[in-house]
Amino acid sequence: NFWGLRCSGCVASIPAQKRLARKFKEQEVVFLGIHTADGEMSQIKKLLQSEQWTTPTGIDRGTSMLDSVTGEKYGIQGYPSLIVINPEGQITFRSDVDPPGDREVFMKTLAEASGVKWPPAENATQTEMIEIMNQLQYTLISREIERVLNAKH
């Protein structure tokens, strides 16, 4: 999970991240957080503690999100970016690139699998939108992790 404190979408997605970690707790899945290079560990720890988010998190090398060493090596396009890596070290999914095919069809299919309405209501509150996006992220990343786990067997 490439993320940053200054990224509201990153912070808003913490509930989905925590749910994923709980779901795969007993399986051979490791979750890591890589904060943008411009973070301060004291502030990151404060957020992790207040959110009761136990994912091991480090700060990328560099001076900002624009020159984060690990982010550059992985070709991160934006934040948050979630990457699934299989046991052989191959990237099998990345959230920062558009899905193949028609994006709207992809979103509608993902929403159906997530049990949420797509597109969201025009008058949806910010809280409702965060809940919808967290559910979509949870479903998408769960599916991708399960794909990797099932490929092992």
Side-chain angles (χ1 to χ4, degrees):
N1 178 18
F2 287 86
W3 71 286
L5 285 169
R6 294 188 184 124
C7 164
S8 60
C10 298
V11 175
S13 74
I14 291 173
Q17 300 300 313
K18 288 168 47 177
R19 264 182 83 196
L20 287 163
R22 282 192 305 271
K23 178 177 182 176
F24 294 102
K25 181 178 167 184
E26 302 300 322
Q27 299 182 50
E28 296 177 5
V29 177
V30 175
F31 291 89
L32 296 173
I34 301 174
H35 191 282
T36 59
D38 57 352
E40 287 184 34
M41 192 49 93
S42 63
Q43 294 300 313
I44 295 167
K45 284 182 178 180
K46 187 188 258 184
L47 175 73
L48 294 175
Q49 196 170 39
S50 72
E51 293 289 331
Q52 298 177 341
W53 189 23
T54 58
T55 294
T57 299
I59 299 176
D60 206 345
R61 289 196 331 247
T63 59
S64 74
M65 69 172 46
L66 301 175
D67 73 347
S68 293
V69 174
T70 310
E72 282 186 20
K73 285 186 179 181
Y74 279 88
I76 296 304
Q77 306 289 313
Y79 294 86
S81 288
L82 294 122
I83 295 179
V84 177
I85 302 171
N86 69 15
E88 291 76 38
Q90 300 162 320
I91 294 174
T92 61
F93 174 80
R94 44 185 318 137
S95 69
D96 62 339
V97 295
D98 284 332
D102 185 300
R103 181 172 175 72
E104 197 54 37
V105 170
F106 175 85
M107 291 304 294
K108 191 167 272 197
T109 303
L110 179 60
E112 285 173 13
S114 302
V116 298
K117 182 182 179 298
W118 194 264
E122 287 184 29
N123 62 346
T125 66
Q126 183 177 2
T127 301
E128 290 168 332
M129 285 303 298
I130 289 170
E131 287 175 15
I132 290 168
M133 298 312 287
N134 273 318
Q135 185 60 38
L136 293 172
Q137 184 183 84
Y138 174 80
T139 301
L140 177 61
I141 302 302
S142 288
R143 182 173 66 194
E144 297 302 327
I145 292 171
E146 287 166 354
R147 189 182 322 236
V148 168
L149 292 173
N150 290 334
K152 280 181 52 181
H153 301 293

